[in-house]
Amino acid sequence: RITATTPQGISAQFGQRRLDQLAAIEAAKKARDEQVVPIGLGILDKANKQGVQAEVITSKIDDMLATPGRRASDVVQKTLTSVREKIGSLSKDGVVDARDLYTVRKELGNTIQTHAKETANWDKRLASGLERDIQKVIDDQIEAAGGAGWKQYLAEYSKRSQAMAADIERRRMALRPPQRTELG
Protein backbone atom coordinates (compact mmCIF):
# COMPACT_ATOMS: atom_id res chain seq x y z
CA ARG A 1 0.00 0.00 0.00
CA ILE A 2 2.81 2.40 0.82
CA THR A 3 4.56 1.69 -2.49
CA ALA A 4 1.34 2.16 -4.43
CA THR A 5 0.70 5.57 -2.84
CA THR A 6 4.27 6.84 -3.12
CA PRO A 7 4.47 9.30 -6.02
CA GLN A 8 7.24 8.45 -8.47
CA GLY A 9 8.22 5.54 -6.24
CA ILE A 10 9.36 2.09 -7.23
CA SER A 11 6.11 1.35 -9.08
CA ALA A 12 6.79 4.18 -11.53
CA GLN A 13 10.25 2.77 -12.17
CA PHE A 14 8.80 -0.65 -12.94
CA GLY A 15 6.26 0.92 -15.27
CA GLN A 16 8.95 2.91 -17.06
CA ARG A 17 11.11 -0.19 -17.44
CA ARG A 18 8.19 -2.05 -19.00
CA LEU A 19 7.62 0.81 -21.46
CA ASP A 20 11.35 0.89 -22.29
CA GLN A 21 11.34 -2.87 -22.94
CA LEU A 22 8.30 -2.62 -25.21
CA ALA A 23 9.95 0.23 -27.11
CA ALA A 24 13.11 -1.88 -27.50
CA ILE A 25 11.10 -4.76 -28.97
CA GLU A 26 9.41 -2.42 -31.44
CA ALA A 27 12.80 -0.95 -32.40
CA ALA A 28 14.19 -4.47 -32.93
CA LYS A 29 11.20 -5.37 -35.15
CA LYS A 30 11.68 -2.18 -37.16
CA ALA A 31 15.41 -2.83 -37.56
CA ARG A 32 14.76 -6.43 -38.63
CA ASP A 33 12.17 -5.34 -41.17
CA GLU A 34 14.36 -2.55 -42.55
CA GLN A 35 17.48 -4.70 -42.84
CA VAL A 36 16.26 -8.19 -43.70
CA VAL A 37 12.89 -7.89 -45.48
CA PRO A 38 14.26 -6.01 -48.54
CA ILE A 39 16.74 -8.87 -49.05
CA GLY A 40 13.90 -11.41 -49.04
CA LEU A 41 11.80 -9.35 -51.43
CA GLY A 42 14.79 -9.05 -53.77
CA ILE A 43 15.24 -12.82 -53.73
CA LEU A 44 11.54 -13.32 -54.53
CA ASP A 45 11.85 -10.86 -57.44
CA LYS A 46 14.81 -12.87 -58.81
CA ALA A 47 12.74 -16.06 -58.58
CA ASN A 48 9.90 -14.34 -60.46
CA LYS A 49 12.18 -13.50 -63.39
CA GLN A 50 12.63 -17.18 -64.19
CA GLY A 51 9.25 -18.18 -62.80
CA VAL A 52 8.31 -20.66 -60.08
CA GLN A 53 6.77 -23.75 -61.62
CA ALA A 54 3.48 -24.53 -59.92
CA GLU A 55 3.31 -28.03 -61.40
CA VAL A 56 6.43 -29.16 -59.53
CA ILE A 57 4.92 -28.04 -56.22
CA THR A 58 1.49 -29.57 -56.88
CA SER A 59 3.08 -32.83 -58.01
CA LYS A 60 5.04 -33.07 -54.73
CA ILE A 61 1.83 -32.31 -52.83
CA ASP A 62 0.16 -35.16 -54.76
CA ASP A 63 3.01 -37.44 -53.64
CA MET A 64 2.36 -36.40 -50.03
CA LEU A 65 -1.34 -37.12 -50.51
CA ALA A 66 -0.47 -40.63 -51.67
CA THR A 67 1.89 -41.41 -48.77
CA PRO A 68 0.59 -44.28 -46.63
CA GLY A 69 -0.25 -43.12 -43.13
CA ARG A 70 -0.70 -39.53 -44.16
CA ARG A 71 -3.39 -40.27 -46.71
CA ALA A 72 -5.55 -41.75 -43.94
CA SER A 73 -5.63 -38.47 -42.02
CA ASP A 74 -8.54 -36.14 -42.73
CA VAL A 75 -6.48 -33.14 -41.58
CA VAL A 76 -3.69 -34.02 -44.01
CA GLN A 77 -6.10 -34.65 -46.88
CA LYS A 78 -8.00 -31.40 -46.40
CA THR A 79 -4.88 -29.32 -45.81
CA LEU A 80 -2.95 -30.64 -48.80
CA THR A 81 -5.98 -30.37 -51.06
CA SER A 82 -6.57 -26.81 -49.90
CA VAL A 83 -2.94 -25.79 -50.49
CA ARG A 84 -2.90 -27.53 -53.88
CA GLU A 85 -6.07 -25.71 -54.97
CA LYS A 86 -4.73 -22.39 -53.69
CA ILE A 87 -1.51 -22.74 -55.65
CA GLY A 88 -3.46 -23.88 -58.71
CA SER A 89 -5.71 -20.82 -58.51
CA LEU A 90 -2.69 -18.50 -58.25
CA SER A 91 -0.95 -20.15 -61.19
CA LYS A 92 -0.93 -18.50 -64.61
CA ASP A 93 0.38 -20.61 -67.48
CA GLY A 94 1.98 -23.01 -64.99
CA VAL A 95 3.92 -20.27 -63.20
CA VAL A 96 3.08 -18.89 -59.77
CA ASP A 97 4.35 -15.61 -58.34
CA ALA A 98 6.98 -16.17 -55.63
CA ARG A 99 5.39 -13.55 -53.37
CA ASP A 100 2.07 -15.40 -53.56
CA LEU A 101 3.87 -18.62 -52.61
CA TYR A 102 5.47 -16.85 -49.67
CA THR A 103 2.02 -15.79 -48.47
CA VAL A 104 0.73 -19.36 -48.84
CA ARG A 105 3.79 -20.50 -46.87
CA LYS A 106 3.16 -17.99 -44.05
CA GLU A 107 -0.53 -18.90 -43.76
CA LEU A 108 0.06 -22.64 -43.78
CA GLY A 109 -0.17 -23.00 -39.99
CA ASN A 110 -3.57 -21.30 -39.97
CA THR A 111 -4.77 -23.59 -42.78
CA ILE A 112 -3.73 -26.67 -40.81
CA GLN A 113 -5.41 -25.37 -37.64
CA THR A 114 -8.63 -24.63 -39.49
CA HIS A 115 -8.85 -28.16 -40.89
CA ALA A 116 -7.88 -29.68 -37.55
CA LYS A 117 -10.75 -27.85 -35.85
CA GLU A 118 -13.19 -28.86 -38.61
CA THR A 119 -12.36 -32.53 -38.26
CA ALA A 120 -11.92 -32.39 -34.46
CA ASN A 121 -8.81 -34.43 -35.06
CA TRP A 122 -5.47 -32.96 -34.03
CA ASP A 123 -2.10 -34.65 -34.02
CA LYS A 124 0.37 -31.88 -33.26
CA ARG A 125 3.42 -33.86 -34.35
CA LEU A 126 1.84 -34.84 -37.65
CA ALA A 127 0.68 -31.27 -38.28
CA SER A 128 4.08 -29.72 -37.57
CA GLY A 129 5.74 -32.30 -39.83
CA LEU A 130 3.21 -31.57 -42.56
CA GLU A 131 3.78 -27.82 -42.28
CA ARG A 132 7.55 -28.28 -42.42
CA ASP A 133 7.31 -30.59 -45.47
CA ILE A 134 5.10 -28.23 -47.47
CA GLN A 135 7.28 -25.26 -46.59
CA LYS A 136 10.36 -27.18 -47.72
CA VAL A 137 8.76 -27.90 -51.11
CA ILE A 138 7.88 -24.22 -51.56
CA ASP A 139 11.33 -23.07 -50.42
CA ASP A 140 13.09 -25.54 -52.74
CA GLN A 141 11.08 -24.31 -55.73
CA ILE A 142 11.73 -20.64 -54.95
CA GLU A 143 15.47 -21.36 -54.86
CA ALA A 144 15.28 -23.54 -58.00
CA ALA A 145 13.61 -20.66 -59.85
CA GLY A 146 16.61 -18.40 -59.28
CA GLY A 147 15.93 -17.26 -55.73
CA ALA A 148 19.36 -18.23 -54.43
CA GLY A 149 19.76 -17.38 -50.76
CA TRP A 150 16.07 -17.80 -49.90
CA LYS A 151 16.68 -20.34 -47.14
CA GLN A 152 19.44 -18.19 -45.63
CA TYR A 153 17.03 -15.25 -45.63
CA LEU A 154 14.40 -17.31 -43.80
CA ALA A 155 17.00 -18.45 -41.24
CA GLU A 156 18.17 -14.88 -40.60
CA TYR A 157 14.61 -13.56 -40.25
CA SER A 158 13.75 -16.40 -37.88
CA LYS A 159 16.88 -15.85 -35.78
CA ARG A 160 16.08 -12.17 -35.34
CA SER A 161 12.45 -12.94 -34.50
CA GLN A 162 13.17 -15.65 -31.92
CA ALA A 163 14.67 -13.30 -29.34
CA MET A 164 11.63 -11.04 -29.55
CA ALA A 165 9.25 -13.99 -29.30
CA ALA A 166 11.14 -15.34 -26.28
CA ASP A 167 10.85 -11.98 -24.52
CA ILE A 168 7.12 -11.82 -25.20
CA GLU A 169 6.72 -15.39 -23.90
CA ARG A 170 8.63 -14.51 -20.71
CA ARG A 171 6.28 -11.58 -20.15
CA ARG A 172 3.27 -13.81 -20.64
CA MET A 173 4.62 -16.39 -18.21
CA ALA A 174 5.34 -13.68 -15.62
CA LEU A 175 1.66 -12.77 -15.56
CA ARG A 176 0.65 -16.35 -14.81
CA PRO A 177 3.61 -18.13 -13.25
CA PRO A 178 3.38 -21.92 -13.03
CA GLN A 179 3.84 -21.72 -9.26
CA ARG A 180 1.95 -19.26 -7.07
CA THR A 181 3.88 -16.89 -4.90
CA GLU A 182 2.66 -15.56 -1.58
CA LEU A 183 3.94 -11.99 -1.27
CA GLY A 184 1.93 -11.20 1.81
Side-chain angles (χ1 to χ4, degrees):
R1 215 174 343 165
I2 294 169
T3 302
T5 58
T6 305
Q8 300 301 317
I10 193 165
S11 295
Q13 292 171 349
F14 281 133
Q16 184 60 47
R17 184 175 357 162
R18 182 174 183 277
L19 292 175
D20 292 345
Q21 289 170 343
L22 291 173
I25 288 175
E26 288 304 314
K29 285 180 184 178
K30 184 178 178 185
R32 175 200 62 198
D33 291 346
E34 287 175 353
Q35 295 169 1
V36 181
V37 171
I39 295 169
L41 295 176
I43 292 170
L44 292 175
D45 289 341
K46 287 179 188 175
N48 280 335
K49 287 180 183 173
Q50 185 176 338
V52 182
Q53 299 299 315
E55 185 179 325
V56 175
I57 297 170
T58 56
S59 119
K60 291 190 179 187
I61 289 174
D62 288 340
D63 291 345
M64 287 184 217
L65 277 165
T67 304
R70 279 190 168 176
R71 66 181 175 206
S73 169
D74 291 336
V75 175
V76 171
Q77 288 288 323
K78 288 182 178 193
T79 299
L80 290 175
T81 302
S82 175
V83 170
R84 187 181 195 292
E85 289 172 358
K86 183 72 157 181
I87 292 171
S89 72
L90 296 170
S91 172
K92 292 180 182 161
D93 299 326
V95 176
V96 66
D97 188 280
R99 290 183 187 213
D100 288 339
L101 273 179
Y102 183 45
T103 301
V104 170
R105 183 190 191 285
K106 287 191 296 187
E107 294 176 350
L108 194 53
N110 295 335
T111 304
I112 293 170
Q113 270 187 334
T114 299
H115 294 300
K117 286 179 184 175
E118 278 178 18
T119 61
N121 186 6
W122 180 252
D123 181 352
K124 192 172 185 176
R125 200 170 107 197
L126 176 69
S128 67
L130 179 65
E131 182 175 9
R132 187 179 58 249
D133 291 347
I134 297 170
Q135 287 177 341
K136 183 181 181 326
V137 168
I138 291 172
D139 296 342
D140 289 345
Q141 287 311 303
I142 289 173
E143 284 206 338
W150 176 246
K151 292 178 184 175
Q152 288 84 1
Y153 157 75
L154 291 173
E156 180 65 24
Y157 189 90
S158 175
K159 183 178 86 173
R160 291 183 182 216
S161 298
Q162 284 175 351
M164 291 179 269
D167 185 64
I168 291 168
E169 179 63 18
R170 280 190 298 275
R171 288 174 191 284
R172 190 184 66 75
M173 291 300 291
L175 294 175
R176 293 189 133 193
Q179 181 177 358
R180 288 185 51 148
T181 304
E182 291 294 332
L183 296 177

mmCIF file with all atom_site columns, all heavy atoms in Angstrom, residues 22-38:
data_model
loop_
_atom_site.group_PDB
_atom_site.id
_atom_site.type_symbol
_atom_site.label_atom_id
_atom_site.label_alt_id
_atom_site.label_comp_id
_atom_site.label_asym_id
_atom_site.label_entity_id
_atom_site.label_seq_id
_atom_site.pdbx_PDB_ins_code
_atom_site.Cartn_x
_atom_site.Cartn_y
_atom_site.Cartn_z
_atom_site.occupancy
_atom_site.B_iso_or_equiv
_atom_site.pdbx_formal_charge
_atom_site.auth_seq_id
_atom_site.auth_comp_id
_atom_site.auth_asym_id
_atom_site.auth_atom_id
_atom_site.pdbx_PDB_model_num
ATOM 1   N N   . LEU A 1 22 ? 9.205  -2.552  -24.065 1.00 0.00 ? 22 LEU A N   1
ATOM 2   C CA  . LEU A 1 22 ? 8.298  -2.625  -25.207 1.00 0.00 ? 22 LEU A CA  1
ATOM 3   C C   . LEU A 1 22 ? 8.820  -1.787  -26.377 1.00 0.00 ? 22 LEU A C   1
ATOM 4   O O   . LEU A 1 22 ? 8.747  -2.199  -27.539 1.00 0.00 ? 22 LEU A O   1
ATOM 5   C CB  . LEU A 1 22 ? 6.890  -2.176  -24.805 1.00 0.00 ? 22 LEU A CB  1
ATOM 6   C CG  . LEU A 1 22 ? 6.134  -3.093  -23.852 1.00 0.00 ? 22 LEU A CG  1
ATOM 7   C CD1 . LEU A 1 22 ? 4.826  -2.453  -23.414 1.00 0.00 ? 22 LEU A CD1 1
ATOM 8   C CD2 . LEU A 1 22 ? 5.889  -4.450  -24.491 1.00 0.00 ? 22 LEU A CD2 1
ATOM 9   N N   . ALA A 1 23 ? 9.375  -0.622  -26.067 1.00 0.00 ? 23 ALA A N   1
ATOM 10  C CA  . ALA A 1 23 ? 9.952  0.232   -27.109 1.00 0.00 ? 23 ALA A CA  1
ATOM 11  C C   . ALA A 1 23 ? 11.164 -0.453  -27.755 1.00 0.00 ? 23 ALA A C   1
ATOM 12  O O   . ALA A 1 23 ? 11.362 -0.355  -28.970 1.00 0.00 ? 23 ALA A O   1
ATOM 13  C CB  . ALA A 1 23 ? 10.352 1.583   -26.526 1.00 0.00 ? 23 ALA A CB  1
ATOM 14  N N   . ALA A 1 24 ? 11.943 -1.168  -26.961 1.00 0.00 ? 24 ALA A N   1
ATOM 15  C CA  . ALA A 1 24 ? 13.111 -1.875  -27.503 1.00 0.00 ? 24 ALA A CA  1
ATOM 16  C C   . ALA A 1 24 ? 12.681 -2.999  -28.449 1.00 0.00 ? 24 ALA A C   1
ATOM 17  O O   . ALA A 1 24 ? 13.306 -3.211  -29.487 1.00 0.00 ? 24 ALA A O   1
ATOM 18  C CB  . ALA A 1 24 ? 13.956 -2.438  -26.366 1.00 0.00 ? 24 ALA A CB  1
ATOM 19  N N   . ILE A 1 25 ? 11.604 -3.697  -28.095 1.00 0.00 ? 25 ILE A N   1
ATOM 20  C CA  . ILE A 1 25 ? 11.104 -4.760  -28.973 1.00 0.00 ? 25 ILE A CA  1
ATOM 21  C C   . ILE A 1 25 ? 10.614 -4.165  -30.289 1.00 0.00 ? 25 ILE A C   1
ATOM 22  O O   . ILE A 1 25 ? 10.898 -4.689  -31.368 1.00 0.00 ? 25 ILE A O   1
ATOM 23  C CB  . ILE A 1 25 ? 9.993  -5.577  -28.281 1.00 0.00 ? 25 ILE A CB  1
ATOM 24  C CG1 . ILE A 1 25 ? 10.599 -6.447  -27.184 1.00 0.00 ? 25 ILE A CG1 1
ATOM 25  C CG2 . ILE A 1 25 ? 9.244  -6.453  -29.284 1.00 0.00 ? 25 ILE A CG2 1
ATOM 26  C CD1 . ILE A 1 25 ? 9.591  -7.201  -26.370 1.00 0.00 ? 25 ILE A CD1 1
ATOM 27  N N   . GLU A 1 26 ? 9.893  -3.071  -30.217 1.00 0.00 ? 26 GLU A N   1
ATOM 28  C CA  . GLU A 1 26 ? 9.413  -2.416  -31.444 1.00 0.00 ? 26 GLU A CA  1
ATOM 29  C C   . GLU A 1 26 ? 10.573 -1.935  -32.300 1.00 0.00 ? 26 GLU A C   1
ATOM 30  O O   . GLU A 1 26 ? 10.549 -2.053  -33.528 1.00 0.00 ? 26 GLU A O   1
ATOM 31  C CB  . GLU A 1 26 ? 8.467  -1.263  -31.103 1.00 0.00 ? 26 GLU A CB  1
ATOM 32  C CG  . GLU A 1 26 ? 7.117  -1.706  -30.585 1.00 0.00 ? 26 GLU A CG  1
ATOM 33  C CD  . GLU A 1 26 ? 6.390  -2.651  -31.527 1.00 0.00 ? 26 GLU A CD  1
ATOM 34  O OE1 . GLU A 1 26 ? 6.334  -2.377  -32.742 1.00 0.00 ? 26 GLU A OE1 1
ATOM 35  O OE2 . GLU A 1 26 ? 5.887  -3.684  -31.049 1.00 0.00 ? 26 GLU A OE2 1
ATOM 36  N N   . ALA A 1 27 ? 11.619 -1.404  -31.654 1.00 0.00 ? 27 ALA A N   1
ATOM 37  C CA  . ALA A 1 27 ? 12.803 -0.954  -32.395 1.00 0.00 ? 27 ALA A CA  1
ATOM 38  C C   . ALA A 1 27 ? 13.507 -2.137  -33.062 1.00 0.00 ? 27 ALA A C   1
ATOM 39  O O   . ALA A 1 27 ? 13.973 -2.033  -34.199 1.00 0.00 ? 27 ALA A O   1
ATOM 40  C CB  . ALA A 1 27 ? 13.760 -0.217  -31.470 1.00 0.00 ? 27 ALA A CB  1
ATOM 41  N N   . ALA A 1 28 ? 13.560 -3.266  -32.358 1.00 0.00 ? 28 ALA A N   1
ATOM 42  C CA  . ALA A 1 28 ? 14.188 -4.466  -32.932 1.00 0.00 ? 28 ALA A CA  1
ATOM 43  C C   . ALA A 1 28 ? 13.386 -4.980  -34.128 1.00 0.00 ? 28 ALA A C   1
ATOM 44  O O   . ALA A 1 28 ? 13.956 -5.393  -35.141 1.00 0.00 ? 28 ALA A O   1
ATOM 45  C CB  . ALA A 1 28 ? 14.314 -5.550  -31.869 1.00 0.00 ? 28 ALA A CB  1
ATOM 46  N N   . LYS A 1 29 ? 12.046 -4.953  -34.020 1.00 0.00 ? 29 LYS A N   1
ATOM 47  C CA  . LYS A 1 29 ? 11.203 -5.368  -35.145 1.00 0.00 ? 29 LYS A CA  1
ATOM 48  C C   . LYS A 1 29 ? 11.421 -4.452  -36.344 1.00 0.00 ? 29 LYS A C   1
ATOM 49  O O   . LYS A 1 29 ? 11.535 -4.919  -37.478 1.00 0.00 ? 29 LYS A O   1
ATOM 50  C CB  . LYS A 1 29 ? 9.717  -5.336  -34.753 1.00 0.00 ? 29 LYS A CB  1
ATOM 51  C CG  . LYS A 1 29 ? 9.277  -6.465  -33.874 1.00 0.00 ? 29 LYS A CG  1
ATOM 52  C CD  . LYS A 1 29 ? 7.802  -6.339  -33.541 1.00 0.00 ? 29 LYS A CD  1
ATOM 53  C CE  . LYS A 1 29 ? 7.354  -7.402  -32.575 1.00 0.00 ? 29 LYS A CE  1
ATOM 54  N NZ  . LYS A 1 29 ? 5.931  -7.264  -32.215 1.00 0.00 ? 29 LYS A NZ  1
ATOM 55  N N   . LYS A 1 30 ? 11.477 -3.152  -36.080 1.00 0.00 ? 30 LYS A N   1
ATOM 56  C CA  . LYS A 1 30 ? 11.677 -2.185  -37.159 1.00 0.00 ? 30 LYS A CA  1
ATOM 57  C C   . LYS A 1 30 ? 13.034 -2.392  -37.826 1.00 0.00 ? 30 LYS A C   1
ATOM 58  O O   . LYS A 1 30 ? 13.144 -2.390  -39.057 1.00 0.00 ? 30 LYS A O   1
ATOM 59  C CB  . LYS A 1 30 ? 11.555 -0.762  -36.615 1.00 0.00 ? 30 LYS A CB  1
ATOM 60  C CG  . LYS A 1 30 ? 11.652 0.306   -37.669 1.00 0.00 ? 30 LYS A CG  1
ATOM 61  C CD  . LYS A 1 30 ? 11.481 1.692   -37.068 1.00 0.00 ? 30 LYS A CD  1
ATOM 62  C CE  . LYS A 1 30 ? 11.636 2.742   -38.163 1.00 0.00 ? 30 LYS A CE  1
ATOM 63  N NZ  . LYS A 1 30 ? 11.602 4.083   -37.637 1.00 0.00 ? 30 LYS A NZ  1
ATOM 64  N N   . ALA A 1 31 ? 14.064 -2.602  -37.021 1.00 0.00 ? 31 ALA A N   1
ATOM 65  C CA  . ALA A 1 31 ? 15.410 -2.826  -37.562 1.00 0.00 ? 31 ALA A CA  1
ATOM 66  C C   . ALA A 1 31 ? 15.446 -4.106  -38.390 1.00 0.00 ? 31 ALA A C   1
ATOM 67  O O   . ALA A 1 31 ? 16.034 -4.131  -39.482 1.00 0.00 ? 31 ALA A O   1
ATOM 68  C CB  . ALA A 1 31 ? 16.432 -2.890  -36.429 1.00 0.00 ? 31 ALA A CB  1
ATOM 69  N N   . ARG A 1 32 ? 14.816 -5.171  -37.878 1.00 0.00 ? 32 ARG A N   1
ATOM 70  C CA  . ARG A 1 32 ? 14.760 -6.433  -38.627 1.00 0.00 ? 32 ARG A CA  1
ATOM 71  C C   . ARG A 1 32 ? 14.074 -6.221  -39.968 1.00 0.00 ? 32 ARG A C   1
ATOM 72  O O   . ARG A 1 32 ? 14.573 -6.635  -41.013 1.00 0.00 ? 32 ARG A O   1
ATOM 73  C CB  . ARG A 1 32 ? 14.018 -7.487  -37.815 1.00 0.00 ? 32 ARG A CB  1
ATOM 74  C CG  . ARG A 1 32 ? 13.807 -8.799  -38.557 1.00 0.00 ? 32 ARG A CG  1
ATOM 75  C CD  . ARG A 1 32 ? 12.696 -9.636  -37.974 1.00 0.00 ? 32 ARG A CD  1
ATOM 76  N NE  . ARG A 1 32 ? 11.424 -8.924  -38.055 1.00 0.00 ? 32 ARG A NE  1
ATOM 77  C CZ  . ARG A 1 32 ? 10.353 -9.237  -37.342 1.00 0.00 ? 32 ARG A CZ  1
ATOM 78  N NH1 . ARG A 1 32 ? 10.386 -10.227 -36.492 1.00 0.00 ? 32 ARG A NH1 1
ATOM 79  N NH2 . ARG A 1 32 ? 9.240  -8.550  -37.472 1.00 0.00 ? 32 ARG A NH2 1
ATOM 80  N N   . ASP A 1 33 ? 12.932 -5.546  -39.933 1.00 0.00 ? 33 ASP A N   1
ATOM 81  C CA  . ASP A 1 33 ? 12.173 -5.345  -41.167 1.00 0.00 ? 33 ASP A CA  1
ATOM 82  C C   . ASP A 1 33 ? 12.902 -4.439  -42.156 1.00 0.00 ? 33 ASP A C   1
ATOM 83  O O   . ASP A 1 33 ? 12.825 -4.651  -43.362 1.00 0.00 ? 33 ASP A O   1
ATOM 84  C CB  . ASP A 1 33 ? 10.791 -4.788  -40.844 1.00 0.00 ? 33 ASP A CB  1
ATOM 85  C CG  . ASP A 1 33 ? 9.907  -5.813  -40.129 1.00 0.00 ? 33 ASP A CG  1
ATOM 86  O OD1 . ASP A 1 33 ? 10.263 -7.009  -40.116 1.00 0.00 ? 33 ASP A OD1 1
ATOM 87  O OD2 . ASP A 1 33 ? 8.866  -5.417  -39.579 1.00 0.00 ? 33 ASP A OD2 1
ATOM 88  N N   . GLU A 1 34 ? 13.627 -3.452  -41.653 1.00 0.00 ? 34 GLU A N   1
ATOM 89  C CA  . GLU A 1 34 ? 14.363 -2.547  -42.548 1.00 0.00 ? 34 GLU A CA  1
ATOM 90  C C   . GLU A 1 34 ? 15.600 -3.208  -43.140 1.00 0.00 ? 34 GLU A C   1
ATOM 91  O O   . GLU A 1 34 ? 15.974 -2.920  -44.267 1.00 0.00 ? 34 GLU A O   1
ATOM 92  C CB  . GLU A 1 34 ? 14.773 -1.275  -41.803 1.00 0.00 ? 34 GLU A CB  1
ATOM 93  C CG  . GLU A 1 34 ? 13.625 -0.341  -41.520 1.00 0.00 ? 34 GLU A CG  1
ATOM 94  C CD  . GLU A 1 34 ? 14.028 0.863   -40.676 1.00 0.00 ? 34 GLU A CD  1
ATOM 95  O OE1 . GLU A 1 34 ? 15.189 0.915   -40.197 1.00 0.00 ? 34 GLU A OE1 1
ATOM 96  O OE2 . GLU A 1 34 ? 13.169 1.740   -40.483 1.00 0.00 ? 34 GLU A OE2 1
ATOM 97  N N   . GLN A 1 35 ? 16.235 -4.096  -42.385 1.00 0.00 ? 35 GLN A N   1
ATOM 98  C CA  . GLN A 1 35 ? 17.479 -4.697  -42.841 1.00 0.00 ? 35 GLN A CA  1
ATOM 99  C C   . GLN A 1 35 ? 17.281 -6.010  -43.595 1.00 0.00 ? 35 GLN A C   1
ATOM 100 O O   . GLN A 1 35 ? 17.988 -6.261  -44.567 1.00 0.00 ? 35 GLN A O   1
ATOM 101 C CB  . GLN A 1 35 ? 18.401 -4.954  -41.643 1.00 0.00 ? 35 GLN A CB  1
ATOM 102 C CG  . GLN A 1 35 ? 18.863 -3.691  -40.955 1.00 0.00 ? 35 GLN A CG  1
ATOM 103 C CD  . GLN A 1 35 ? 19.551 -3.954  -39.636 1.00 0.00 ? 35 GLN A CD  1
ATOM 104 O OE1 . GLN A 1 35 ? 19.717 -5.092  -39.221 1.00 0.00 ? 35 GLN A OE1 1
ATOM 105 N NE2 . GLN A 1 35 ? 19.950 -2.896  -38.943 1.00 0.00 ? 35 GLN A NE2 1
ATOM 106 N N   . VAL A 1 36 ? 16.363 -6.839  -43.162 1.00 0.00 ? 36 VAL A N   1
ATOM 107 C CA  . VAL A 1 36 ? 16.261 -8.192  -43.705 1.00 0.00 ? 36 VAL A CA  1
ATOM 108 C C   . VAL A 1 36 ? 15.167 -8.328  -44.762 1.00 0.00 ? 36 VAL A C   1
ATOM 109 O O   . VAL A 1 36 ? 15.377 -8.990  -45.783 1.00 0.00 ? 36 VAL A O   1
ATOM 110 C CB  . VAL A 1 36 ? 16.032 -9.206  -42.552 1.00 0.00 ? 36 VAL A CB  1
ATOM 111 C CG1 . VAL A 1 36 ? 15.936 -10.614 -43.067 1.00 0.00 ? 36 VAL A CG1 1
ATOM 112 C CG2 . VAL A 1 36 ? 17.155 -9.109  -41.536 1.00 0.00 ? 36 VAL A CG2 1
ATOM 113 N N   . VAL A 1 37 ? 14.018 -7.715  -44.557 1.00 0.00 ? 37 VAL A N   1
ATOM 114 C CA  . VAL A 1 37 ? 12.893 -7.893  -45.476 1.00 0.00 ? 37 VAL A CA  1
ATOM 115 C C   . VAL A 1 37 ? 13.230 -7.478  -46.913 1.00 0.00 ? 37 VAL A C   1
ATOM 116 O O   . VAL A 1 37 ? 12.872 -8.198  -47.848 1.00 0.00 ? 37 VAL A O   1
ATOM 117 C CB  . VAL A 1 37 ? 11.624 -7.186  -44.944 1.00 0.00 ? 37 VAL A CB  1
ATOM 118 C CG1 . VAL A 1 37 ? 10.526 -7.165  -45.980 1.00 0.00 ? 37 VAL A CG1 1
ATOM 119 C CG2 . VAL A 1 37 ? 11.139 -7.886  -43.679 1.00 0.00 ? 37 VAL A CG2 1
ATOM 120 N N   . PRO A 1 38 ? 13.924 -6.362  -47.145 1.00 0.00 ? 38 PRO A N   1
ATOM 121 C CA  . PRO A 1 38 ? 14.262 -6.014  -48.537 1.00 0.00 ? 38 PRO A CA  1
ATOM 122 C C   . PRO A 1 38 ? 15.098 -7.095  -49.236 1.00 0.00 ? 38 PRO A C   1
ATOM 123 O O   . PRO A 1 38 ? 14.950 -7.314  -50.433 1.00 0.00 ? 38 PRO A O   1
ATOM 124 C CB  . PRO A 1 38 ? 15.045 -4.710  -48.405 1.00 0.00 ? 38 PRO A CB  1
ATOM 125 C CG  . PRO A 1 38 ? 14.573 -4.110  -47.134 1.00 0.00 ? 38 PRO A CG  1
ATOM 126 C CD  . PRO A 1 38 ? 14.305 -5.272  -46.232 1.00 0.00 ? 38 PRO A CD  1
#
